[in-house]
Every structure is written in C-alpha cells, then in structure tokens.
Amino acid sequence: MKRSIIITGGAGFIGSHVVRLFVNKYPDYKVINLDKLTYAGNLDNLKDIQDKPNYKFVKMDICDFDGVLKLMQDEKVDGIIHLAAESHVDRSIKDPFTFAQTNVMGTLSLLQAAKCYWDGNWEGKRFYHISTDEVYGALEMTNPEGIKPPFTTKASSGEHHLAYGSKFFTEDLKYQPHSPYSASKASSDHFVRAFHDTYGMPTIVTNCSNNYGPYQFPEKLIPLFINNIRHRKPLPVYGKGENVRDWLFVEDHARAIDIIFHKGKIAETYNIGGFNEWKNIDIIKVLINTVDRLLGRPEGADMDLITYVTDRAGHDLRYAIDSTKLQRELGWEPSLQFEEGIERTVRWYLDHQEWVDNVTSGEYQKYYDSMYKNR
Ligand code: NAD
Ligand code: DAU
C-alpha cells in the first residue's frame, strides 16, 4: 500500500463521506476508520464500502493513547485525518465535560500518539485536524434583509444568494468561541498548532461551516426537521428563527478535505464554506415545501408545524465563511447549488426512513456493541 492513514470519526456524518471518498478514490491507500461508535457513530453509513480490501474498521476511543499508538505502529500509519468529536452544540450546553474529554483530551492524546510514533521523522507525515467555523464566534447581522454578497460560485448562484452582513470569517480572525462545543474545538485547534510550533509536527487545520446531506444524525436542524415534517410533528424553531448559517453540501466538504490533505501547506489554516447564507426560518420553509411536494401533499400545507421555542443559550447570530484562500491557493470551490443539494438531501431522508428509525431508536448501537465487544 502506498499510504496508510487513520480517519477518526469515520462512522459519523462527515467522516463516513470522507472514508467513502478515500476508499473509492485511493485503492492503494489503507484507510483505517477509527471510531468509538458513540450514539453518533453508525457503521450502516459505510455498508457500501465495508468489504473493500483497502478498508479497515477499528472500534477505539481517541482518548486511548496506548491503543492508538499500537495501531499506528502495527499499521505503519503516515497520515491522520481527525474528525472524531462530540459535535452537537445543544448537548455541549447540557454536558460540557464530555466535550472537553473527547474534543480536547482526545485530540491531545491522538497528537501525542502520533508524536511518539513518528518520533521526529516528519517526512511524508501529516496530521490534519477538522474544525469548525464556530471557533470564530458570531458575526453581526448588519443587513437583516440580505445584500448581494461579494462572492459568486456555481454553488451559490441560486435564487437566494444573499449575505446578511459585510463581515466574514477569515483565517486571521481571533478566536471567540461562545458555546462549550466551540470552546472545546478552539482548544483542540490550539493544541494542534502547538504541536507544529513546538515539535515540528506537520499539521493542518481547517474550519468549516454547517454541513448538510445524507447520514447526518437527526438531532441537527435539517435532518430533524425533515423527519418531523414527514411525521407532522412540531418544528422547534429557536428564538425568532433569524439566526444565519452558511450551508455546505457534505460531499463538497469531503472533496475539500481530500485536496487539502494532499496539497495543503503545512501549518496553514483553511476556511471551508458554501458562500451560502440562510436564515433558519427561510431554510425551514424550503424544507416544508420540499417535503410536502415530494410526499404529494399541497406545498406549504405543513407551515403550521412551525413552533417558536425558547432560544438556545448563547445562540450565535450569524456564521459566514470566506473561503477565498482555499479557492485561490488550491482551486477548491463548492460545486453543488443549494437548491439541488436540499432536494437530494430531502429525497435521501425520505427514501431512508429505516436508517432514521434505527439511528433514533438506538437499535444499531446495541447491535454493534455486541458485534465488537471482544475486539
Ligand atoms: P458526528 O457527531 O456525526 O460524528 C462524530 C463521530 O465521532 C461519530 O462517529 C462518533 O462515534 C465519533 N466519536 C465521538 N467520540 C469519539 C471518541 N472519543 N473516539 C473515537 N470516535 C469518537 O460529527 P460530524 O458532524 O460528522 O462532525 C465531524 C467533525 O467535523 C467534528 O470534528 C466536527 O467538529 C467537525 N465539523 C462539523 C460540521 C458539521 O456541520 N457537522 C461543520 C464543521 C466542522
Ligand atoms: O458551523 C459549523 C457547526 O454547524 C458544526 O461545527 C457543528 O458540529 C454542527 O452541529 C453545526 O452547528 P449548529 O449549531 O449551527 O447546527 P444545528 O443543526 O444544531 O443548528 C442549526 C441552526 O438551527 C442553529 O441556529 C440552531 C437552529 N436550530 C437547531 C435545532 C436542532 C433550531 O432552531 N431548532 C432545532 O431544533
């Protein structure tokens, strides 16, 4: 095998798309999916590639320093793409300790294992850490009605294409995380950079905006709401629904990760985003219309499911990524128009009700726990 790489969190939402891309695109790489299989990890996400000869799954906690070090030695690992994390802001508000443990201590443990194994032989090695735009905090909404943004890409050229302020997250902004989740991700980013600056480890960090697409755990806005609309359950809109997020189709993120893993400059940070800002309430209306249409209901029939609820504590108002550095230096830009991405996503969830039911019932967890308990 030409390379042997570990992808952590490969059974989760984004990780499964990255694993699939690498396994299919690089038959001469050994791709090791290291995942603890928390509630968010699901091997059903990878059924289509699980029998490929260049794929291996290892059930392991990133906090298990000895286990990770031994795995790196046994498999002669020369690259790590690190996605494993606790990823849901609402959970972090209820249980910040778990976020510090996994996102901070887990990342540190992984870095330390890589440092011990690579032992200063950095040639051909790479530690690539996947982070979030939430570390930059929140942007002001200076144009609540929306303005024409300074960026144009194929992906953002749909009818909507608005920006809600004139400032964007750029790579040189200072970190101002607000939630326990973003604070834990910010801390992990600092550790990754510290391992480059102190020991010379070849690291890269990327900070991405909100992803959407197939296999996202249905506690996040888009899959949760698609499922609720289907079953005519209330849609809990936090606050006034005015918060803005920048949405990127998950396969575009996976493609960016591939390019950056191979061509990104050591010690650099790249922001990844969709140039695609939406107020939550506007997305929710698109979801209602799309689900209704695809289920043969009159479009908009389910608007009365919208239920305004108490706002999320510390709710960041606006995220908007400027990813022109990545576009300019490595030639990446989002490929899929949002309207097309949402249509594909809604169709996928409607066609995969069994997946949604398994994930939400926890049945898959019991099954895989018994399957892997002796490994
Ligand atoms: P996810 O919650 O869907 O998946 C996380 C995966 O990590 C799961 O498979 C889980 O089992 C695994 N995991 C959790 N704790 C672990 C541990 N201690 N050891 C090993 N595995 C563990 O997350 P996601 O939405 O796919 O996000 C993946 C990464 O991308 C995260 O680091 C997240 O911060 C980052 N990110 C996510 C988004 C987004 O919109 N979802 C945007 C930007 C960045
Ligand atoms: O920006 C990148 C981040 O995007 C990632 O780092 C996180 O891992 C990912 O979970 C996501 O964070 P958000 O908090 O933005 O995503 P979420 O889907 O939880 O919420 C999107 C918006 O919708 C947010 O403004 C809160 C709102 N919301 C969410 C839920 C779950 C609601 O109004 N109601 C809801 O029930």
Side-chain angles (χ1 to χ4, degrees):
M1 288 284 176
K2 200 166 145 198
R3 295 198 71 163
S4 173
I5 62 169
I6 289 178
I7 298 178
T8 72
F13 166 47
I14 303 171
S16 62
H17 288 274
V18 178
V19 166
R20 177 175 297 101
L21 176 69
F22 273 69
V23 166
N24 287 331
K25 187 169 173 187
Y26 302 108
D28 51 355
Y29 286 15
K30 182 155 195 185
V31 178
I32 302 156
N33 172 11
L34 186 162
D35 199 297
K36 183 182 170 183
L37 297 183
T38 67
Y39 79 95
N42 182 358
L43 289 178
D44 282 352
N45 299 359
L46 291 164
K47 267 187 176 158
D48 54 324
I49 55 106
Q50 68 187 7
D51 297 324
K52 298 256 182 176
N54 62 334
Y55 171 71
K56 178 174 179 170
F57 171 70
V58 177
K59 180 169 159 53
M60 192 178 281
D61 189 331
I62 51 168
C63 299
D64 176 2
F65 170 82
D66 293 332
V68 174
L69 178 57
K70 180 159 186 331
L71 180 67
M72 290 192 75
Q73 290 163 339
D74 291 349
E75 300 287 354
K76 300 187 172 46
V77 169
D78 59 15
I80 295 181
I81 304 178
H82 175 36
L83 296 110
E86 289 293 335
S87 70
H88 190 39
V89 174
D90 293 332
R91 284 179 188 256
S92 83
I93 294 168
K94 288 203 189 86
D95 175 20
F97 278 125
T98 304
F99 282 68
Q101 176 63 20
T102 294
N103 299 357
V104 186
M105 294 308 292
T107 300
L108 179 55
S109 180
L110 207 57
L111 283 162
Q112 187 69 4
K115 175 175 160 280
C116 287
Y117 173 55
W118 290 336
D119 194 24
N121 301 311
W122 304 128
E123 189 61 36
K125 311 297 192 307
R126 187 152 290 203
F127 189 106
Y128 177 6
H129 176 61
I130 310 298
S131 190
T132 170
D133 60 356
E134 302 200 8
V135 297
Y136 297 118
L139 292 163
E140 285 184 353
M141 186 138 73
T142 46
N143 299 94
E145 298 312 315
I147 49 165
K148 194 174 158 10
F151 319 104
T152 313
T153 64
K154 177 176 180 286
S156 57
S157 61
E159 290 160 27
H160 173 83
H161 199 206
L162 294 172
Y164 292 95
S166 49
K167 297 221 169 95
F168 299 87
F169 292 142
T170 49
E171 287 83 357
D172 54 359
L173 273 192
K174 76 170 181 187
Y175 275 27
Q176 282 189 303
H178 296 133
S179 72
Y181 163 67
S182 52
S184 70
K185 291 297 288 186
S187 172
S188 64
D189 296 6
H190 290 317
F191 271 109
V192 174
R193 295 195 181 100
F195 268 62
H196 171 268
D197 297 350
T198 308
Y199 309 111
M201 184 181 285
T203 61
I204 294 188
V205 177
T206 56
N207 299 84
C208 188
S209 64
N210 286 61
N211 285 216
Y212 71 98
Y215 300 114
Q216 185 168 33
F217 196 85
E219 64 185 353
K220 306 278 172 76
L221 179 78
I222 289 184
L224 175 72
F225 278 34
I226 294 172
N227 200 39
N228 283 12
I229 299 163
R230 174 182 206 148
H231 297 290
R232 294 208 156 107
K233 288 192 198 157
L235 307 174
V237 181
Y238 298 161
K240 294 183 181 152
E242 294 284 307
N243 302 64
V244 170
R245 297 291 182 266
D246 170 6
W247 293 93
L248 178 68
F249 192 64
V250 62
E251 289 176 12
D252 274 331
H253 188 188
R255 203 167 41 78
I257 290 172
D258 175 22
I259 294 170
I260 294 163
F261 179 70
H262 290 99
K263 298 193 183 133
K265 270 202 228 141
I266 298 302
E268 287 288 326
T269 296
Y270 298 93
N271 283 352
I272 310 172
F275 297 116
N276 180 41
E277 288 178 55
W278 284 77
K279 285 186 185 176
N280 291 341
I281 193 65
D282 292 336
I283 280 211
I284 291 162
K285 288 177 183 164
V286 171
L287 291 176
I288 293 172
N289 285 332
T290 311
V291 174
D292 281 347
R293 177 168 44 79
L294 292 177
L295 289 180
R297 299 173 185 166
E299 259 189 49
D302 288 310
M303 287 294 169
D304 59 352
L305 294 176
I306 292 178
T307 311
Y308 292 96
V309 298
T310 310
D311 208 353
R312 174 186 275 174
H315 198 174
D316 286 333
L317 186 58
R318 172 175 171 250
Y319 302 149
I321 280 269
D322 177 350
S323 59
T324 44
K325 173 177 171 183
L326 178 57
Q327 218 167 0
R328 191 180 59 243
E329 295 186 8
L330 299 179
W332 175 91
E333 66 168 36
S335 69
L336 201 66
Q337 272 202 11
F338 188 64
E339 289 76 0
E340 192 188 335
I342 280 291
E343 180 89 12
R344 269 173 66 175
T345 302
V346 172
R347 273 186 198 280
W348 189 88
Y349 285 96
L350 295 181
D351 289 347
H352 291 79
Q353 187 60 45
E354 202 183 324
W355 181 90
V356 175
D357 291 343
N358 286 344
V359 165
T360 41
S361 75
E363 276 311 306
Y364 77 92
Q365 193 71 58
K366 282 187 225 149
Y367 170 69
Y368 285 111
D369 275 354
S370 64
M371 197 169 155
Y372 285 101
K373 75 176 174 221
N374 297 324
R375 294 197 173 190

